[in-house]
Amino acid sequence: MKTLRIHYLQHVHFEDLGCIEDWAKTKGHRLSSTKFYENEPLPEFSEFDWLIVMGGPMGVYDLEKYNWLSGEKEFIGNAIRAKKTVIGICLGAQLIASALGAKVYPNSQKEIGWFPISLTKETIATNILGKNEDSFPVFHWHGDTFHLPPNATRIASSEICLNQAFVYAEKVIGLQFHFEVTEKSLQRMITFCSDELVDGKHIQSAEEIISNKRLISGINGQMFRLLDKMEEI
């Protein structure tokens, strides 16, 4: 495999690449980033092969508060049209969906903690999410959702979120959930977003979230397998 130039877009300091950084370094790939919270510039399209769009507590529609969002969305859309491999996580998936023309909006309930997703038959057959089971728990921290973008394929759902993951044109994938989370980043999310941990049917307490940290190694393995598959395309 050739050395990939992987550029990632980071929206807040506490939501970084997580285990994706471990995968990239093990493979010998090159990493670069745009950290919007430090006003860093976007790269030229000739400077990267993959684009990874990370999560964050803001919404796609928070344009007045975060004036870089509109430019970021345009950049993502252009990266897709340039046939780059584009992977979005949580807010990243929502930005990809929006760039592809889908509506992004607040869901009826927030989903925070370890809850199961269900895979479509096609997903299980292709094993794109690194699992041949039809349902398994993953880590969630999101309040928004989106319509499935035109010509995209839904690959996972949950009880309160129909579009948990999708694939578009083979090289573009959006994940609402956090395969990449590590024990360190999990604790950071709890620390900096603790105000969201209120009573709710689909919101777990900090203690309950941490008590299930044994699940991290499993979802990290699925993240690695997903990245391996994207590397083959």
Side-chain angles (χ1 to χ4, degrees):
M1 289 288 181
K2 72 171 185 177
T3 298
L4 294 171
R5 300 167 301 164
I6 301 173
H7 191 82
Y8 63 97
L9 308 180
Q10 188 171 342
H11 306 103
V12 287
H13 73 280
F14 56 88
E15 288 201 47
D16 56 19
L17 281 178
C19 75
I20 299 173
E21 182 174 357
D22 299 329
W23 177 86
K25 288 182 176 180
T26 299
K27 294 275 188 170
H29 299 320
R30 290 165 47 192
L31 289 170
S32 60
S33 65
T34 296
K35 296 175 180 176
F36 289 107
Y37 56 93
E38 293 183 354
N39 297 313
E40 292 182 345
L42 290 163
E44 298 294 328
F45 289 101
S46 61
E47 296 175 346
F48 66 92
D49 305 303
W50 282 25
L51 181 67
I52 299 180
V53 191
M54 301 309 299
M58 60 286 295
V60 168
Y61 40 78
D62 289 331
L63 301 176
E64 290 188 11
K65 188 173 182 181
Y66 304 98
N67 56 16
W68 40 261
L69 276 168
S70 58
E72 181 185 14
K73 189 170 74 171
E74 182 181 4
F75 181 81
I76 292 168
N78 287 336
I80 293 170
R81 284 184 283 276
K83 301 193 182 305
K84 304 289 186 180
T85 292
V86 182
I87 300 170
I89 296 169
C90 200
L91 172 63
Q94 296 158 13
L95 283 162
I96 292 172
S98 183
L100 291 172
K103 181 181 178 181
V104 180
Y105 54 95
N107 202 5
S108 59
Q109 302 177 55
K110 289 187 177 182
E111 192 170 22
I112 303 175
W114 298 94
F115 297 101
I117 56 170
S118 298
L119 306 186
T120 64
K121 291 180 180 178
E122 182 181 53
T123 311
I124 296 170
T126 59
N127 201 28
I128 192 170
L129 292 185
K131 200 84 166 176
N132 57 11
E133 300 174 20
D134 59 3
S135 181
F136 53 89
V138 299
F139 185 67
H140 305 263
W141 199 307
H142 57 91
D144 286 352
T145 188
F146 48 82
H147 291 162
L148 188 68
N151 302 313
T153 300
R154 180 185 303 112
I155 58 176
S157 301
S158 68
E159 182 181 348
I160 63 165
C161 187
L162 178 62
N163 296 313
Q164 278 283 358
F166 65 88
V167 173
Y168 174 84
E170 288 192 300
K171 298 179 74 171
V172 180
I173 189 164
L175 309 175
Q176 275 273 57
F177 45 87
H178 293 271
F179 268 172
E180 88 294 349
V181 73
T182 62
E183 190 170 338
K184 183 178 179 180
S185 60
L186 183 73
Q187 187 59 61
R188 283 181 173 180
M189 291 170 78
I190 291 171
T191 298
F192 290 99
C193 299
S194 59
D195 59 309
E196 294 187 64
L197 299 179
V198 299
D199 289 339
K201 181 180 178 182
H202 296 279
I203 301 177
Q204 294 176 346
S205 66
E207 292 75 20
E208 191 171 2
I209 289 171
I210 293 170
S211 72
N212 283 293
K213 65 183 181 181
R214 67 185 184 281
L215 298 171
I216 290 174
S217 62
I219 61 172
N220 285 176
Q222 288 166 251
M223 185 81 253
F224 297 155
R225 289 188 286 274
L226 170 60
L227 294 168
D228 286 345
K229 285 185 175 295
M230 299 298 284
E231 192 180 25
E232 294 169 0
I233 297 174

